[in-house]
Amino acid sequence: MFTLATDNGKFLRVRRGASQSEVEAQLLRPVYNVFAGAIVERGEKLFVYTAKPLENYKTIAKKFGASEEELKAVNFSRPVYPTCKIYVPCKNAGGGI
C-alpha cells in the first residue's frame, strides 16, 4: 500500500460535490476533467480576464504581452466570446489589471 504525501501549498484535493467552476475559482486557473478525490497541482498564478466584444486569443495576448499559443494552452483552446472568462498568466500581465 502506498501513501501519498502532498505539500498543501502546491496541491489541491478535489472535495466530493465540488463543481468544475468551484475548483477553477479556488485554483485561479482552468481545470479539465476533475473528479472527487483528484489531486490537482496549483501551477502558476493566473488571473481572470473577461473578454470584450471582438476580442480573440490574438488580441488578448497582445494586450498582456503573452503568446497566443500560451493563452490557448492555459485555456484548453476554449472559444472566446464576449463576457467569457480567459485565464492570463500574471508574469505577463504585470500582476493583474
Side-chain angles (χ1 to χ4, degrees):
M1 173 168 224
F2 296 96
T3 302
L4 178 64
T6 61
D7 176 6
N8 287 337
K10 190 172 181 184
F11 298 96
L12 170 78
R13 182 182 299 269
V14 178
R15 295 176 295 141
R16 181 181 300 199
S19 68
Q20 181 173 343
S21 60
E22 290 173 334
V23 175
E24 288 178 345
Q26 190 169 1
L27 293 174
L28 291 177
R29 71 177 182 87
V31 292
Y32 182 71
N33 201 17
V34 295
F35 53 89
I39 296 175
V40 182
E41 188 172 5
R42 292 190 186 269
E44 67 178 308
K45 295 288 185 187
L46 304 172
F47 76 94
V48 179
Y49 174 74
T50 303
K52 295 174 178 52
L54 302 177
E55 284 189 322
N56 55 33
Y57 283 117
K58 186 175 184 176
T59 58
I60 294 170
K62 186 176 179 182
K63 183 181 232 177
F64 294 106
S67 73
E68 183 178 355
E69 293 76 25
E70 181 181 23
L71 284 182
K72 283 183 178 180
V74 167
N75 291 284
F76 301 114
S77 295
R78 294 178 181 163
V80 178
Y81 54 88
T83 72
C84 78
K85 307 295 185 205
I86 299 293
Y87 292 89
V88 180
C90 287
K91 62 181 174 135
N92 294 329
I97 321 178

